[in-house]
C-alpha cells in the first residue's frame, strides 16, 4: 500500500473481494486504498483522457463517456482508436484490411476509407471507457 501512496494523493476505497452480480455478498471491512488514476494509466505518461461527443460508436461508447487513450500502444485491426483525418479528430474502430479505414460502431454512419492523399494519424488506442450511470 505504501507504493500506492507515492503515486497519488487521491485514493479511493476498493472492496478487496469480488462482488457477485447474482447473489448478495458482504464486503464488511474488506476495503483497501486504491489509486484509480494509477489503475487507468498504469503509471504511463503517454496516457490521457478525452470526452466523447456523438453517437457513431454507440454500440459501446456513448455520448459523454470519458475515454482513456494510450499513445504508446501500436493500433491493431479491431482496436478502438483516437485518430486524426485531415485535421479532424474522431473515435472509431481501426481496420487495416482489406483497406485502411476507420469503422463506426453505429450502422447509421459510413466507414472512413483512408487514402494516400489523406493526412492520417492514430493518436492512441482506447484502453478504458469511464461512464456515469
Amino acid at each position: 500500500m505504501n507504493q500506492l501512496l507515492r503515486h497519488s494523493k487521491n485514493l479511493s476505497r476498493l472492496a478487496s473481494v469480488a462482488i457477485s452480480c447474482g447473489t448478495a455478498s458482504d464486503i464488511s471491512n474488506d476495503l483497501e486504498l486504491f489509486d484509480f488514476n494509477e489503475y487507468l494509466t498504469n503509471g504511463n505518461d503517454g496516457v490521457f483522457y478525452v470526452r466523447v461527443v456523438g453517437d457513431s460508436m454507440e454500440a459501446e461508447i456513448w455520448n459523454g463517456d470519458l475515454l482513456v487513450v494510450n499513445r504508446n500502444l501500436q493500433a491493431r485491426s479491431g482496436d478502438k482508436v483516437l485518430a486524426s483525418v485531415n485535421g479532424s479528430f474522431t473515435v472509431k474502430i481501426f481496420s487495416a484490411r482489406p483497406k485502411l479505414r476507420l469503422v463506426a460502431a453505429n450502422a447509421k454512419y459510413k466507414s472512413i476509407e483512408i487514402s494516400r492523399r489523406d493526412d492520417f494519424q492514430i493518436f492512441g488506442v482506447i484502453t478504458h471507457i469511464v461512464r456515469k450511470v
Side-chain angles (χ1 to χ4, degrees):
M1 185 159 57
N2 288 338
Q3 184 179 10
L4 285 177
L5 294 175
R6 282 184 272 153
H7 292 289
S8 175
K9 295 177 185 174
N10 299 316
L11 298 177
S12 300
R13 300 211 183 275
L14 172 70
S16 302
V17 296
I19 303 300
S20 169
C21 290
T23 59
S25 303
D26 180 25
I27 61 173
S28 59
N29 292 325
D30 293 330
L31 299 175
E32 62 184 74
L33 292 178
F34 178 72
D35 185 334
F36 194 65
N37 189 59
E38 178 72 16
Y39 171 76
L40 293 176
T41 67
N42 203 23
N44 189 326
D45 288 337
V47 175
F48 61 99
Y49 304 90
V50 295
R51 186 161 313 274
V52 175
V53 176
D55 65 348
S56 76
M57 294 298 291
E58 196 170 75
E60 297 178 45
I61 300 172
W62 297 85
N63 187 50
D65 283 352
L66 190 65
L67 303 180
V68 181
V69 181
N70 189 328
R71 289 202 40 114
N72 297 322
L73 296 177
Q74 180 69 34
R76 297 178 296 174
S77 281
D79 284 345
K80 292 165 202 62
V81 298
L82 172 63
S84 172
V85 182
N86 300 321
S88 295
F89 285 91
T90 188
V91 173
K92 297 284 186 278
I93 300 166
F94 175 66
S95 177
R97 293 195 170 102
K99 295 179 181 178
L100 188 61
R101 60 193 177 124
L102 298 172
V103 181
N106 186 332
K108 291 190 323 186
Y109 297 89
K110 293 181 180 180
S111 296
I112 300 170
E113 297 207 6
I114 307 300
S115 74
R116 293 177 190 249
R117 295 182 309 244
D118 290 317
D119 179 15
F120 172 70
Q121 182 178 7
I122 294 177
F123 271 78
V125 175
I126 309 302
T127 58
H128 296 83
I129 302 167
V130 180
R131 177 176 301 140
K132 288 185 179 182
V133 292

PDB file of all heavy atoms in Angstrom, residues 1-14:
ATOM      1  N   MET A   1       0.820  -1.194   0.000  1.00  0.00           N
ATOM      2  CA  MET A   1       0.000   0.000   0.000  1.00  0.00           C
ATOM      3  C   MET A   1       0.864   1.258   0.000  1.00  0.00           C
ATOM      4  O   MET A   1       0.480   2.259  -0.567  1.00  0.00           O
ATOM      5  CB  MET A   1      -0.948  -0.015   1.184  1.00  0.00           C
ATOM      6  CG  MET A   1      -1.916   1.140   1.164  1.00  0.00           C
ATOM      7  SD  MET A   1      -3.409   0.955   2.122  1.00  0.00           S
ATOM      8  CE  MET A   1      -2.802   0.653   3.734  1.00  0.00           C
ATOM      9  N   ASN A   2       2.051   1.227   0.577  1.00  0.00           N
ATOM     10  CA  ASN A   2       2.921   2.398   0.568  1.00  0.00           C
ATOM     11  C   ASN A   2       3.266   2.829  -0.847  1.00  0.00           C
ATOM     12  O   ASN A   2       3.408   4.000  -1.120  1.00  0.00           O
ATOM     13  CB  ASN A   2       4.205   2.125   1.361  1.00  0.00           C
ATOM     14  CG  ASN A   2       3.935   2.073   2.850  1.00  0.00           C
ATOM     15  OD1 ASN A   2       2.950   2.620   3.309  1.00  0.00           O
ATOM     16  ND2 ASN A   2       4.787   1.400   3.579  1.00  0.00           N
ATOM     17  N   GLN A   3       3.390   1.858  -1.762  1.00  0.00           N
ATOM     18  CA  GLN A   3       3.687   2.183  -3.149  1.00  0.00           C
ATOM     19  C   GLN A   3       2.549   2.998  -3.758  1.00  0.00           C
ATOM     20  O   GLN A   3       2.777   3.941  -4.492  1.00  0.00           O
ATOM     21  CB  GLN A   3       3.913   0.913  -3.956  1.00  0.00           C
ATOM     22  CG  GLN A   3       4.315   1.200  -5.382  1.00  0.00           C
ATOM     23  CD  GLN A   3       4.553  -0.070  -6.155  1.00  0.00           C
ATOM     24  OE1 GLN A   3       4.254  -1.153  -5.702  1.00  0.00           O
ATOM     25  NE2 GLN A   3       5.089   0.088  -7.346  1.00  0.00           N
ATOM     26  N   LEU A   4       1.305   2.653  -3.452  1.00  0.00           N
ATOM     27  CA  LEU A   4       0.160   3.411  -3.949  1.00  0.00           C
ATOM     28  C   LEU A   4       0.170   4.839  -3.444  1.00  0.00           C
ATOM     29  O   LEU A   4      -0.166   5.766  -4.166  1.00  0.00           O
ATOM     30  CB  LEU A   4      -1.145   2.741  -3.530  1.00  0.00           C
ATOM     31  CG  LEU A   4      -1.547   1.482  -4.262  1.00  0.00           C
ATOM     32  CD1 LEU A   4      -2.833   0.922  -3.664  1.00  0.00           C
ATOM     33  CD2 LEU A   4      -1.749   1.745  -5.738  1.00  0.00           C
ATOM     34  N   LEU A   5       0.572   5.029  -2.212  1.00  0.00           N
ATOM     35  CA  LEU A   5       0.557   6.362  -1.618  1.00  0.00           C
ATOM     36  C   LEU A   5       1.527   7.303  -2.308  1.00  0.00           C
ATOM     37  O   LEU A   5       1.320   8.499  -2.334  1.00  0.00           O
ATOM     38  CB  LEU A   5       0.868   6.270  -0.122  1.00  0.00           C
ATOM     39  CG  LEU A   5      -0.179   5.545   0.721  1.00  0.00           C
ATOM     40  CD1 LEU A   5       0.314   5.409   2.151  1.00  0.00           C
ATOM     41  CD2 LEU A   5      -1.509   6.269   0.689  1.00  0.00           C
ATOM     42  N   ARG A   6       2.579   6.785  -2.897  1.00  0.00           N
ATOM     43  CA  ARG A   6       3.556   7.629  -3.577  1.00  0.00           C
ATOM     44  C   ARG A   6       3.037   8.151  -4.906  1.00  0.00           C
ATOM     45  O   ARG A   6       3.488   9.157  -5.391  1.00  0.00           O
ATOM     46  CB  ARG A   6       4.848   6.854  -3.814  1.00  0.00           C
ATOM     47  CG  ARG A   6       5.687   6.746  -2.554  1.00  0.00           C
ATOM     48  CD  ARG A   6       6.985   6.073  -2.847  1.00  0.00           C
ATOM     49  NE  ARG A   6       6.726   4.643  -2.694  1.00  0.00           N
ATOM     50  CZ  ARG A   6       7.397   3.704  -3.317  1.00  0.00           C
ATOM     51  NH1 ARG A   6       8.346   4.004  -4.151  1.00  0.00           N
ATOM     52  NH2 ARG A   6       7.107   2.446  -3.125  1.00  0.00           N
ATOM     53  N   HIS A   7       2.085   7.477  -5.521  1.00  0.00           N
ATOM     54  CA  HIS A   7       1.628   7.861  -6.853  1.00  0.00           C
ATOM     55  C   HIS A   7       0.561   8.942  -6.850  1.00  0.00           C
ATOM     56  O   HIS A   7       0.504   9.751  -7.752  1.00  0.00           O
ATOM     57  CB  HIS A   7       1.088   6.638  -7.608  1.00  0.00           C
ATOM     58  CG  HIS A   7       2.156   5.658  -7.945  1.00  0.00           C
ATOM     59  ND1 HIS A   7       3.107   5.897  -8.898  1.00  0.00           N
ATOM     60  CD2 HIS A   7       2.436   4.442  -7.434  1.00  0.00           C
ATOM     61  CE1 HIS A   7       3.930   4.878  -8.977  1.00  0.00           C
ATOM     62  NE2 HIS A   7       3.545   3.973  -8.094  1.00  0.00           N
ATOM     63  N   SER A   8      -0.306   8.945  -5.887  1.00  0.00           N
ATOM     64  CA  SER A   8      -1.417   9.889  -5.905  1.00  0.00           C
ATOM     65  C   SER A   8      -1.871  10.203  -4.492  1.00  0.00           C
ATOM     66  O   SER A   8      -1.798   9.365  -3.607  1.00  0.00           O
ATOM     67  CB  SER A   8      -2.586   9.287  -6.696  1.00  0.00           C
ATOM     68  OG  SER A   8      -3.703  10.125  -6.619  1.00  0.00           O
ATOM     69  N   LYS A   9      -2.363  11.421  -4.330  1.00  0.00           N
ATOM     70  CA  LYS A   9      -2.953  11.811  -3.056  1.00  0.00           C
ATOM     71  C   LYS A   9      -4.452  11.525  -3.060  1.00  0.00           C
ATOM     72  O   LYS A   9      -5.095  11.636  -2.048  1.00  0.00           O
ATOM     73  CB  LYS A   9      -2.705  13.298  -2.807  1.00  0.00           C
ATOM     74  CG  LYS A   9      -1.244  13.630  -2.638  1.00  0.00           C
ATOM     75  CD  LYS A   9      -1.050  15.115  -2.476  1.00  0.00           C
ATOM     76  CE  LYS A   9       0.428  15.426  -2.426  1.00  0.00           C
ATOM     77  NZ  LYS A   9       0.702  16.852  -2.407  1.00  0.00           N
ATOM     78  N   ASN A  10      -4.997  11.202  -4.225  1.00  0.00           N
ATOM     79  CA  ASN A  10      -6.430  10.975  -4.375  1.00  0.00           C
ATOM     80  C   ASN A  10      -6.731   9.487  -4.411  1.00  0.00           C
ATOM     81  O   ASN A  10      -6.955   8.912  -5.458  1.00  0.00           O
ATOM     82  CB  ASN A  10      -6.948  11.638  -5.661  1.00  0.00           C
ATOM     83  CG  ASN A  10      -6.731  13.130  -5.646  1.00  0.00           C
ATOM     84  OD1 ASN A  10      -6.971  13.773  -4.644  1.00  0.00           O
ATOM     85  ND2 ASN A  10      -6.254  13.674  -6.739  1.00  0.00           N
ATOM     86  N   LEU A  11      -6.752   8.874  -3.257  1.00  0.00           N
ATOM     87  CA  LEU A  11      -7.023   7.448  -3.178  1.00  0.00           C
ATOM     88  C   LEU A  11      -8.489   7.215  -2.869  1.00  0.00           C
ATOM     89  O   LEU A  11      -9.130   7.995  -2.174  1.00  0.00           O
ATOM     90  CB  LEU A  11      -6.154   6.798  -2.101  1.00  0.00           C
ATOM     91  CG  LEU A  11      -4.644   6.891  -2.348  1.00  0.00           C
ATOM     92  CD1 LEU A  11      -3.877   6.276  -1.186  1.00  0.00           C
ATOM     93  CD2 LEU A  11      -4.255   6.219  -3.652  1.00  0.00           C
ATOM     94  N   SER A  12      -9.018   6.133  -3.407  1.00  0.00           N
ATOM     95  CA  SER A  12     -10.399   5.723  -3.163  1.00  0.00           C
ATOM     96  C   SER A  12     -10.372   4.422  -2.395  1.00  0.00           C
ATOM     97  O   SER A  12      -9.327   3.814  -2.199  1.00  0.00           O
ATOM     98  CB  SER A  12     -11.119   5.515  -4.501  1.00  0.00           C
ATOM     99  OG  SER A  12     -11.124   6.708  -5.241  1.00  0.00           O
ATOM    100  N   ARG A  13     -11.537   3.961  -2.008  1.00  0.00           N
ATOM    101  CA  ARG A  13     -11.630   2.672  -1.331  1.00  0.00           C
ATOM    102  C   ARG A  13     -12.152   1.642  -2.319  1.00  0.00           C
ATOM    103  O   ARG A  13     -13.078   1.900  -3.077  1.00  0.00           O
ATOM    104  CB  ARG A  13     -12.559   2.770  -0.132  1.00  0.00           C
ATOM    105  CG  ARG A  13     -12.063   3.792   0.883  1.00  0.00           C
ATOM    106  CD  ARG A  13     -12.442   3.411   2.285  1.00  0.00           C
ATOM    107  NE  ARG A  13     -12.038   4.416   3.229  1.00  0.00           N
ATOM    108  CZ  ARG A  13     -10.821   4.499   3.781  1.00  0.00           C
ATOM    109  NH1 ARG A  13      -9.908   3.628   3.463  1.00  0.00           N
ATOM    110  NH2 ARG A  13     -10.533   5.445   4.641  1.00  0.00           N
ATOM    111  N   LEU A  14     -11.532   0.472  -2.297  1.00  0.00           N
ATOM    112  CA  LEU A  14     -11.888  -0.626  -3.187  1.00  0.00           C
ATOM    113  C   LEU A  14     -12.144  -1.863  -2.348  1.00  0.00           C
ATOM    114  O   LEU A  14     -11.343  -2.201  -1.464  1.00  0.00           O
ATOM    115  CB  LEU A  14     -10.748  -0.909  -4.174  1.00  0.00           C
ATOM    116  CG  LEU A  14     -10.881  -2.147  -5.052  1.00  0.00           C
ATOM    117  CD1 LEU A  14     -11.989  -1.952  -6.080  1.00  0.00           C
ATOM    118  CD2 LEU A  14      -9.562  -2.443  -5.745  1.00  0.00           C
TER     119      LEU A  14
END
